[in-house]
Amino acid sequence: AQTVTQSQPEMSVQEAETVTLSCTYDTSESDYYLFWYKQPPSRQMILVIRQEAYKQQNATENRFSVNFQKAAKSFSLKISDSQLGDAAMYFCAYRNSGGSNYKLTFGKGTLLTVNP
Amino acid sequence: DTGVSQNPRHKITKRGQNVTFRCDPISEHNRLYWYRQTLGQGPEFLTYFQNEAQLEKSRLLSDRFSAERPKGSFSTLEIQRTEQGDSAMYLCASSIFRDRVDGYTFGSGTRLTVV
């Protein structure tokens, strides 16, 4: 079974600074997807960024980028120019691309605080 | 289309009562999922529907839990004889698989408190 570990229960960052959230995972599959989701206090989970394991290039979405290290099974999220609206719970998630490719496995989350 | 809708947003019930939650997915999405999220944890998979067929149930889903998706549209999740351990946020999500991409859209969840 796949597992996802987020070792930072809480992180804080000053507005306009950069912060990196860590995630490691365990799988025996070679093809899979990794995700970062944001869950603001309103509780609706929103997709931040997606990485396909077969792609070597790290995904970027505006101020959000990932550092995907497949051999190390590491998938960190970097938020640049942090904004107050970035404050939320962030979850790292894994999904197979083959069998059971519909099911997401989540980490426990990192609570990000953005200080003005 | 306004996204995935879940009702009610909050439910407080006494231990031993039955509760039912509803999820209305995005209309074109043929896949529907239920997840449970307890305090301090990430969401955990409960069950999955493709159209009206329930294709997988997690071991987390005891016999007191039942989910349906009649006609492949909305879905209901029923918990019978609720226990305090059932207190959690119940999240619904829907998706459609296109071009190797299966983008989930989550609802805002139903928060259940069993007293």
Side-chain angles (χ1 to χ4, degrees):
Chain A
Q2 292 81 20
T3 59
V4 176
T5 302
Q6 294 178 249
S7 59
Q8 306 154 314
E10 297 184 26
M11 291 282 285
S12 64
V13 63
Q14 291 296 125
E15 196 175 2
E17 297 293 307
T18 295
V19 65
T20 298
L21 308 184
S22 301
C23 173
T24 58
Y25 59 94
D26 189 27
T27 183
S28 57
E29 303 292 329
S30 59
D31 196 12
Y32 48 86
Y33 300 92
L34 295 166
F35 307 84
W36 279 98
Y37 280 90
K38 172 184 178 182
Q39 191 176 40
S42 68
R43 308 297 288 189
Q44 185 171 18
M45 199 85 70
I46 302 166
L47 177 65
V48 174
I49 199 164
R50 168 179 40 230
Q51 175 78 43
E52 298 183 65
Y54 72 89
K55 291 185 177 178
Q56 292 186 343
Q57 187 172 6
N58 288 324
T60 62
E61 287 287 343
N62 301 314
R63 298 182 294 107
F64 298 88
S65 62
V66 298
N67 183 3
F68 173 49
Q69 302 288 329
K70 191 173 184 179
K73 296 181 181 175
S74 170
F75 182 62
S76 60
L77 174 70
K78 185 171 82 171
I79 306 174
S80 303
D81 185 26
S82 297
Q83 300 176 359
L84 295 177
D86 295 333
M89 194 71 143
Y90 286 81
F91 291 97
C92 179
Y94 167 100
R95 201 185 84 221
N96 281 335
S97 68
S100 298
N101 65 356
Y102 44 80
K103 189 183 341 184
L104 287 169
T105 300
F106 288 87
K108 290 187 176 182
T110 297
L111 180 63
L112 178 65
T113 303
V114 181
N115 301 310
Chain B
D1 199 334
T2 57
V4 177
S5 175
Q6 290 190 247
N7 289 289
R9 291 294 304 274
H10 303 275
K11 178 71 176 179
I12 300 175
T13 190
K14 292 183 179 179
R15 191 173 51 187
Q17 297 293 305
N18 298 345
V19 294
T20 301
F21 311 140
R22 177 178 171 124
C23 172
D24 288 272
I26 292 174
S27 57
E28 65 173 344
H29 286 186
N30 61 339
R31 294 181 168 190
L32 186 145
Y33 318 83
W34 286 96
Y35 284 77
R36 181 172 68 188
Q37 185 177 16
T38 54
L39 205 60
Q41 302 292 321
E44 297 172 292
F45 172 81
L46 291 180
T47 191
Y48 158 61
F49 289 86
Q50 184 158 309
N51 300 312
E52 67 276 8
Q54 187 175 22
L55 298 186
E56 185 173 345
K57 289 175 62 172
S58 162
R59 283 171 291 180
L60 293 174
L61 222 59
S62 75
D63 291 343
R64 296 183 297 104
F65 288 72
S66 63
E68 295 182 343
R69 192 184 182 197
K71 301 179 183 177
S73 56
F74 70 93
S75 177
T76 58
L77 177 67
E78 181 183 17
I79 309 174
Q80 295 182 328
R81 304 181 303 281
T82 52
E83 302 172 356
Q84 285 189 323
D86 297 331
S87 295
M89 176 74 82
Y90 290 85
L91 297 172
C92 177
S94 69
S95 72
I96 185 167
F97 189 81
R98 283 195 193 116
D99 301 327
R100 282 181 61 92
V101 177
D102 188 2
Y104 269 52
T105 301
F106 282 89
S108 295
T110 294
R111 178 168 292 287
L112 173 66
T113 303
V114 181
V115 297

